[in-house]
Amino acid sequence: MERRVKSVIVQKYGGTSVEAVSNIKGIARKVALEKAGGLDLVIVVSAMGDTTDELMKLADHITTRHHKRDLDMLLSTGEQVTVALLCMALREEGVTATGLTGWQAGISTTTDHGGASILSIDPERIQRELKMGNVVVVAGFQGITGKGDISTLGRGGSDTTAAALATRLGAERCEIYTDVEGVYTSDPRYVKKAVRISSLTYEEMILMARRGAGVLHPKAIEHAMTHNVPLVVRSSMSRVGGTWIHGAPGREVSHPVYGIVFDKGRFCYTLSGVPNRMEMKVIISSHLNSLDIEYDTLMEDREDTLSFLVAEADQELADPIFDSVGAIVRRERKATVTVVVRDENTYHVTLDTVRKILQEKGQAFHIIEDCTNHVTAVVEESHAIALTSLLHSAFGLDEVQTSEAAGVF
Ligand code: ADP
Ligand code: ASP
Ligand code: MG
């Protein structure tokens, strides 16, 4: 029998939360309870555990020169396994569930295989299933191109599927279930004194995610922000904690620095002996922009030096640009460590403090240009985690109490 769709909740369960069949059965029990409580639920799932990495390894056994369309065909299977298993587990709990691939869920994307963006979502099928009282389980990380080919959204892309669906369906909120209790001041896997942040604005979270906080994909936050859909990050193992990401969290007190994040996947091109720095900067920037490659430039001590920092994943695409500029180019893997500040007025003080601390450590570093709400230092990859912990202490984040975090953050 058809019934009116109430307010929808979209939930996403990441790879670690669906690692084993026992986890999937646990999620089915939880979803069954929530469904019985009267919620309309759309569940987005990732591939189980390390499945995506394992599939990549399989492909590498054949060739490392991947045909991107073939790779998407392969990688998209990981999520479909989880969809099928969760639907079976839900049925065992007495819940009728319909599993959908990306294309069945109406998710249309650009044609950039391996890093596609969602262009539009036709919600008709999902809405029909919800009206029939079914829980809808959607494969994350995938969609369909205009040509009818399977595409994937880039690593961590199931977050984007969930947020985009929540936005399109006008969901009340989008819940991201993962293996930590929320978003922390730093990656809790490496910085033991990291503190959970109870509430962040979309802009604050986008910044943290872009600078390396892998707990949430930046594109997911951008989707949620377009229609002001609140995101909540919480643990699939425990009921405590959680971080709300929304338009304007009411904060009583504000700590000037709210996160120290690192990103080990950067690649730096340094051009030396450049006669006209500004002209060269314009030429290279326009090439990078035309290929949609995001980049940063660095503050330099020397007039004839120019450095560009890109994501390691874009190196293959960027290499020919630097091959063609006729300058001496040094190429190095690097990492960034970023101090995110709440108030732009504290930028200069923060910059001075970061410089002083890194100099005292005898650390060779560069600072990224043109930032106002964060200070990013480019450092040796092997030092990134130690420096993140050091800055976490130096900026007083080790001392923030968890109870205080609710008020301070
Ligand atoms: P999932 O499989 O659920 O998508 P991810 O591995 O993509 O999980 O994201 C969760 C991981 O993100 C955590 O285990 C944690 O190590 C890492 N992480 C990085 N930065 C942060 C941060 N600032 N706060 C919380 N977790 C973070
Ligand atoms: N399975 C994909 C990955 O491992 C997508 C995701 O989990 O969000 O990156
Ligand atoms: Mg993830």
Side-chain angles (χ1 to χ4, degrees), residues 12-16 45-53 75 78-79 140-142 152-161 217:
K12 177 252 168 177
Y13 294 89
T16 43
V45 286
S46 291
M48 295 168 73
D50 295 332
T51 301
T52 309
D53 293 322
L75 297 188
E79 271 65 18
F141 172 61
Q142 57 176 264
T152 63
L153 310 178
R155 299 306 302 266
S158 298
D159 295 337
T160 313
T161 306
H217 198 295

Short mmCIF file of all heavy atoms in Angstrom, two decimals, residues 12-16 45-53 75 78-79 140-142 152-161 217, ligand 2:
data_model
loop_
_atom_site.label_atom_id
_atom_site.label_comp_id
_atom_site.label_asym_id
_atom_site.label_seq_id
_atom_site.Cartn_x
_atom_site.Cartn_y
_atom_site.Cartn_z
N LYS A 12 24.87 6.82 6.16
CA LYS A 12 25.95 6.20 5.37
C LYS A 12 26.85 5.39 6.31
O LYS A 12 27.26 5.88 7.37
CB LYS A 12 26.75 7.29 4.66
CG LYS A 12 27.93 6.77 3.87
CD LYS A 12 29.24 7.11 4.53
CE LYS A 12 30.43 6.38 3.94
NZ LYS A 12 31.70 6.80 4.55
N TYR A 13 27.13 4.17 5.91
CA TYR A 13 28.03 3.31 6.69
C TYR A 13 29.30 3.09 5.88
O TYR A 13 29.25 2.54 4.77
CB TYR A 13 27.34 1.98 7.03
CG TYR A 13 26.17 2.20 7.97
CD1 TYR A 13 24.90 2.47 7.46
CD2 TYR A 13 26.36 2.20 9.34
CE1 TYR A 13 23.83 2.72 8.31
CE2 TYR A 13 25.29 2.44 10.21
CZ TYR A 13 24.04 2.70 9.69
OH TYR A 13 23.00 2.95 10.53
N GLY A 14 30.43 3.50 6.44
CA GLY A 14 31.71 3.41 5.73
C GLY A 14 32.30 2.02 5.79
O GLY A 14 31.78 1.11 6.48
N GLY A 15 33.42 1.83 5.07
CA GLY A 15 34.05 0.53 4.93
C GLY A 15 34.32 -0.19 6.24
O GLY A 15 34.05 -1.40 6.37
N THR A 16 34.85 0.52 7.23
CA THR A 16 35.18 -0.14 8.50
C THR A 16 33.91 -0.55 9.25
O THR A 16 33.92 -1.49 10.02
CB THR A 16 36.02 0.79 9.41
OG1 THR A 16 35.46 2.09 9.35
CG2 THR A 16 37.47 0.81 8.99
N VAL A 45 25.88 2.57 1.46
CA VAL A 45 26.97 1.75 2.00
C VAL A 45 28.22 1.81 1.14
O VAL A 45 28.15 1.98 -0.08
CB VAL A 45 26.55 0.27 2.18
CG1 VAL A 45 25.61 0.11 3.37
CG2 VAL A 45 25.94 -0.30 0.91
N SER A 46 29.34 1.63 1.82
CA SER A 46 30.65 1.52 1.15
C SER A 46 30.96 0.05 0.94
O SER A 46 30.27 -0.82 1.46
CB SER A 46 31.75 2.10 2.03
OG SER A 46 31.64 3.48 2.15
N ALA A 47 32.07 -0.20 0.27
CA ALA A 47 32.56 -1.57 0.10
C ALA A 47 33.09 -2.07 1.46
O ALA A 47 33.53 -1.27 2.28
CB ALA A 47 33.68 -1.58 -0.93
N MET A 48 33.02 -3.38 1.66
CA MET A 48 33.43 -3.95 2.95
C MET A 48 34.93 -3.80 3.19
O MET A 48 35.73 -4.20 2.34
CB MET A 48 33.08 -5.44 3.00
CG MET A 48 31.58 -5.72 2.95
SD MET A 48 31.22 -7.47 2.66
CE MET A 48 31.66 -8.21 4.23
N GLY A 49 35.29 -3.25 4.34
CA GLY A 49 36.70 -3.16 4.75
C GLY A 49 37.61 -2.63 3.66
O GLY A 49 37.40 -1.53 3.14
N ASP A 50 38.63 -3.42 3.34
CA ASP A 50 39.64 -2.98 2.35
C ASP A 50 39.30 -3.43 0.93
O ASP A 50 40.19 -3.48 0.06
CB ASP A 50 41.02 -3.57 2.70
CG ASP A 50 41.53 -3.02 4.02
OD1 ASP A 50 41.15 -1.88 4.36
OD2 ASP A 50 42.29 -3.74 4.70
N THR A 51 38.05 -3.77 0.68
CA THR A 51 37.69 -4.33 -0.63
C THR A 51 38.17 -3.46 -1.80
O THR A 51 38.70 -3.99 -2.79
CB THR A 51 36.15 -4.51 -0.73
OG1 THR A 51 35.77 -5.37 0.32
CG2 THR A 51 35.72 -5.09 -2.06
N THR A 52 37.99 -2.15 -1.71
CA THR A 52 38.38 -1.30 -2.85
C THR A 52 39.88 -1.41 -3.11
O THR A 52 40.31 -1.51 -4.27
CB THR A 52 37.96 0.17 -2.59
OG1 THR A 52 36.58 0.17 -2.21
CG2 THR A 52 38.14 1.04 -3.81
N ASP A 53 40.68 -1.43 -2.03
CA ASP A 53 42.13 -1.59 -2.21
C ASP A 53 42.45 -2.95 -2.82
O ASP A 53 43.32 -3.06 -3.68
CB ASP A 53 42.86 -1.48 -0.86
CG ASP A 53 42.76 -0.08 -0.28
OD1 ASP A 53 42.82 0.87 -1.07
OD2 ASP A 53 42.60 0.05 0.95
N LEU A 75 35.76 -1.37 -9.64
CA LEU A 75 35.66 -0.83 -8.28
C LEU A 75 34.21 -0.71 -7.81
O LEU A 75 33.92 -0.85 -6.62
CB LEU A 75 36.35 0.53 -8.19
CG LEU A 75 37.85 0.55 -8.47
CD1 LEU A 75 38.43 1.93 -8.17
CD2 LEU A 75 38.60 -0.49 -7.65
N GLY A 78 32.44 -3.42 -5.47
CA GLY A 78 32.63 -3.54 -4.01
C GLY A 78 31.40 -3.10 -3.24
O GLY A 78 30.89 -3.79 -2.34
N GLU A 79 30.86 -1.95 -3.60
CA GLU A 79 29.69 -1.40 -2.90
C GLU A 79 28.46 -2.27 -3.13
O GLU A 79 27.61 -2.41 -2.25
CB GLU A 79 29.44 0.03 -3.39
CG GLU A 79 30.16 1.14 -2.63
CD GLU A 79 31.68 1.13 -2.74
OE1 GLU A 79 32.21 0.49 -3.67
OE2 GLU A 79 32.34 1.76 -1.89
N GLY A 140 27.16 3.28 -2.53
CA GLY A 140 27.86 4.55 -2.52
C GLY A 140 28.91 4.60 -3.61
O GLY A 140 29.19 3.61 -4.29
N PHE A 141 29.47 5.82 -3.82
CA PHE A 141 30.71 5.97 -4.61
C PHE A 141 30.51 5.77 -6.10
O PHE A 141 31.48 5.77 -6.84
CB PHE A 141 31.70 4.96 -4.00
CG PHE A 141 33.01 4.69 -4.66
CD1 PHE A 141 33.96 5.70 -4.84
CD2 PHE A 141 33.36 3.40 -5.06
CE1 PHE A 141 35.21 5.42 -5.38
CE2 PHE A 141 34.60 3.11 -5.62
CZ PHE A 141 35.53 4.13 -5.78
N GLN A 142 29.26 5.61 -6.58
CA GLN A 142 29.10 5.33 -8.01
C GLN A 142 27.91 6.04 -8.63
O GLN A 142 26.97 6.44 -7.93
CB GLN A 142 28.93 3.83 -8.22
CG GLN A 142 27.77 3.22 -7.45
CD GLN A 142 27.60 1.73 -7.77
OE1 GLN A 142 26.81 1.38 -8.61
NE2 GLN A 142 28.37 0.89 -7.11
N THR A 152 32.89 6.24 -10.99
CA THR A 152 33.06 6.31 -9.53
C THR A 152 33.50 7.72 -9.14
O THR A 152 34.00 8.48 -9.96
CB THR A 152 34.07 5.27 -9.00
OG1 THR A 152 35.36 5.54 -9.55
CG2 THR A 152 33.64 3.85 -9.33
N LEU A 153 33.27 8.04 -7.87
CA LEU A 153 33.36 9.43 -7.42
C LEU A 153 34.67 9.79 -6.73
O LEU A 153 34.77 10.85 -6.13
CB LEU A 153 32.20 9.74 -6.45
CG LEU A 153 30.78 9.37 -6.92
CD1 LEU A 153 29.76 9.69 -5.84
CD2 LEU A 153 30.44 10.13 -8.20
N GLY A 154 35.66 8.90 -6.79
CA GLY A 154 36.93 9.17 -6.10
C GLY A 154 36.90 8.54 -4.72
O GLY A 154 35.83 8.33 -4.14
N ARG A 155 38.11 8.26 -4.16
CA ARG A 155 38.19 7.57 -2.88
C ARG A 155 37.42 8.35 -1.81
O ARG A 155 37.48 9.57 -1.77
CB ARG A 155 39.66 7.38 -2.44
CG ARG A 155 40.49 6.55 -3.39
CD ARG A 155 39.90 5.19 -3.71
NE ARG A 155 39.65 4.32 -2.58
CZ ARG A 155 40.48 3.40 -2.11
NH1 ARG A 155 41.65 3.23 -2.69
NH2 ARG A 155 40.14 2.62 -1.10
N GLY A 156 36.69 7.64 -1.00
CA GLY A 156 35.88 8.28 0.02
C GLY A 156 34.55 8.81 -0.52
O GLY A 156 33.81 9.51 0.16
N GLY A 157 34.23 8.44 -1.78
CA GLY A 157 33.07 9.04 -2.46
C GLY A 157 31.70 8.62 -1.96
O GLY A 157 30.69 9.22 -2.33
N SER A 158 31.63 7.61 -1.09
CA SER A 158 30.31 7.24 -0.56
C SER A 158 29.72 8.35 0.30
O SER A 158 28.50 8.51 0.39
CB SER A 158 30.39 5.96 0.27
OG SER A 158 30.82 4.91 -0.54
N ASP A 159 30.59 9.12 0.95
CA ASP A 159 30.11 10.29 1.71
C ASP A 159 29.34 11.22 0.78
O ASP A 159 28.28 11.76 1.13
CB ASP A 159 31.29 11.10 2.28
CG ASP A 159 32.10 10.36 3.31
OD1 ASP A 159 31.57 9.42 3.93
OD2 ASP A 159 33.29 10.72 3.50
N THR A 160 29.92 11.40 -0.43
CA THR A 160 29.31 12.32 -1.40
C THR A 160 27.96 11.79 -1.85
O THR A 160 26.99 12.55 -1.96
CB THR A 160 30.25 12.50 -2.61
OG1 THR A 160 31.57 12.74 -2.12
CG2 THR A 160 29.82 13.63 -3.50
N THR A 161 27.88 10.48 -2.10
CA THR A 161 26.59 9.88 -2.49
C THR A 161 25.54 10.19 -1.42
O THR A 161 24.42 10.63 -1.73
CB THR A 161 26.72 8.34 -2.62
OG1 THR A 161 27.79 8.05 -3.51
CG2 THR A 161 25.43 7.72 -3.11
N HIS A 217 34.47 13.45 3.03
CA HIS A 217 34.91 13.94 1.72
C HIS A 217 34.46 15.40 1.54
O HIS A 217 33.29 15.70 1.80
CB HIS A 217 34.30 13.05 0.63
CG HIS A 217 35.00 13.18 -0.69
ND1 HIS A 217 35.01 14.35 -1.42
CD2 HIS A 217 35.74 12.30 -1.38
CE1 HIS A 217 35.71 14.17 -2.52
NE2 HIS A 217 36.17 12.93 -2.52
N1 ASP B 2 34.91 2.18 -1.33
C1 ASP B 2 35.39 3.50 -1.73
C2 ASP B 2 36.75 3.75 -1.09
O1 ASP B 2 37.27 2.87 -0.41
C3 ASP B 2 34.41 4.59 -1.43
C4 ASP B 2 34.13 4.85 0.04
O2 ASP B 2 34.39 3.99 0.86
O3 ASP B 2 33.63 5.94 0.35
O4 ASP B 2 37.28 4.80 -1.27
#
